[in-house]
């Protein structure tokens, strides 16, 4: 719920690690929508989200600013605060393309099976949360609790804020933060693999409600992981999402 530049999160923003903290996809989608409010007609090419600490289920304030407005590139920043403390911030990059078309060189790969062929994801928690109750998740390869590469389709089933329809950018950011969760390289019950950041690179805006996430995770013995995902719509791949991970035994 919006009250000026303040937002009241609901239980549907919860994540799987802590019932008192939000899933990263919830603030990612919220911030994306507020960045769009100060954007111009240039396309979003990148959004980098930095999660300074678990985002609580308490009233939050969100401020945005244009950091630099160049001729070709426009840089934006958003700060999400709880009680005056920044819990998450993001940088966004908009790029002005040339009016003269250039050759298309698409991202590689394609998800062969659409969401209608996917299997509805199992519940991760007994409580209401973002990944089962605010987002419909359908796997076409792998699944929660199955270590290894995975592919799933994601659809926001509720507005991010009040009654505002989710934008393509919000749908993108919400789905992007699931890469490490669906492609866990280790077992959920034995390890924590939390992402303190999320960086999404976009070639274009997606079409439709469903966002496909085709992800794989790599882990070094020193405890650093990397989730690497390609994001798709019905027409094919349109973005890449990378997450640095902190990996440790529970």
């Amino acid at each position: 719920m919006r009250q000026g530049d303040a937002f009241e999160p609901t239980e549907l923003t919860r994540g799987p690690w802590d019932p008192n903290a939000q899933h990263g996809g919830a603030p990612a989608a919220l911030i994306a929508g507020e960045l769009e409010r100060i954007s111009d007609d240039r396309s979003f090419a990148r959004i980098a989200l930095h999660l300074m600490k678990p985002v609580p289920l308490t009233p939050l304030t969100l401020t945005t600013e244009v950091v630099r407005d160049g001729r070709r590139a426009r840089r934006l920043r958003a700060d999400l605060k709880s009680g005056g403390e920044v819990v998450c911030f993001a940088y966004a990059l908009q790029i002005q393309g040339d009016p003269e078309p250039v050759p298309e060189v698409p991202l590689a790969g394609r998800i062969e099976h659409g969401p209608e062929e996917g299997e509805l994801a199992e519940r991760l928690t007994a409580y209401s949360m973002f990944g089962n109750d605010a987002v419909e998740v359908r796997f076409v390869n792998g699944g929660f609790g199955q270590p290894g590469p995975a592919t799933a389709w994601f659809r926001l089933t509720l507005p991010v804020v009040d009654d505002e329809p989710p934008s393509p950018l919000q749908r993108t950011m919400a789905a992007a933060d699931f890469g490490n969760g669906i492609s866990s390289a280790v077992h959920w019950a034995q390890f924590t693999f939390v992402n303190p950041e999320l960086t999404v690179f976009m070639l274009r805006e997606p079409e439709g409600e469903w966002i496909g996430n085709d992800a794989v995770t790599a882990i070094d013995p020193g405890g650093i992981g990397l989730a690497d995902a390609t994001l798709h719509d019905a027409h094919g791949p349109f973005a890449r999402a990378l997450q640095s991970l902190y990996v440790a035994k529970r």
Side-chain angles (χ1 to χ4, degrees):
M1 179 181 296
R2 178 196 299 274
Q3 295 179 342
D5 64 351
F7 298 87
E8 182 79 35
T10 74
E11 62 182 13
L12 298 181
T13 64
R14 287 171 171 164
W17 305 110
D18 180 353
N20 297 311
Q22 295 187 42
H23 184 284
L30 174 65
I31 286 173
E34 294 307 294
L35 288 171
E36 287 183 294
R37 292 182 188 278
I38 64 168
S39 67
D40 57 15
D41 59 354
R42 281 173 275 195
S43 299
F44 279 91
R46 175 179 178 265
I47 295 181
L49 190 79
H50 298 268
L51 297 154
M52 306 298 287
K53 61 188 302 183
V55 179
L57 274 75
T58 57
L60 304 167
T61 57
L62 179 53
T63 58
T64 56
E65 64 173 319
V66 178
V67 178
R68 178 175 169 77
D69 194 354
R71 188 169 65 90
R72 290 293 187 190
R74 194 167 191 258
R75 293 170 172 84
L76 316 175
R77 177 177 172 127
D79 289 276
L80 188 64
K81 298 180 180 180
S82 173
E85 179 185 12
V86 175
V87 293
C88 177
F89 69 90
Y91 284 106
L93 173 67
Q94 292 182 277
I95 291 179
Q96 178 66 59
D98 195 274
E100 186 70 24
V102 297
E104 180 183 11
V105 183
L107 288 167
R110 186 176 184 85
I111 299 177
E112 295 299 328
H113 303 283
E116 68 282 351
E117 301 176 69
E119 181 177 344
L120 191 64
E122 65 180 276
R123 288 203 67 86
L124 282 173
T125 63
Y127 56 81
S128 298
M129 64 164 286
F130 190 67
N132 291 118
D133 301 291
V135 179
E136 182 178 353
V137 184
R138 291 189 171 273
F139 280 93
V140 294
N141 177 46
F144 290 133
Q146 299 180 30
T151 308
W153 290 93
F154 297 83
R155 182 177 71 90
L156 275 168
T157 57
L158 297 169
V160 178
V161 178
D162 298 331
D163 295 324
E164 301 172 7
S167 71
L169 186 64
Q170 287 180 310
R171 293 185 183 279
T172 297
M173 294 304 294
D177 196 63
F178 281 91
N180 64 321
I182 65 172
S183 69
S184 56
V186 290
H187 286 282
W188 285 73
Q190 300 173 345
F191 292 87
T192 294
F193 41 95
V194 177
N195 62 298
E197 65 86 41
L198 164 68
T199 305
V200 181
F201 301 89
M202 293 160 279
L203 284 179
R204 60 173 174 85
E205 188 175 86
E207 296 182 20
E209 293 185 321
W210 290 94
I211 304 293
N213 188 320
D214 184 22
V216 61
T217 294
I219 299 174
D220 181 80
I224 295 177
L226 174 65
D228 185 350
T230 302
L231 304 182
H232 302 246
D233 63 7
H235 302 290
F238 69 92
R240 292 285 299 277
L242 300 175
Q243 298 165 291
S244 293
L245 308 177
Y246 162 76
V247 186
K249 288 185 178 180
R250 285 183 176 272

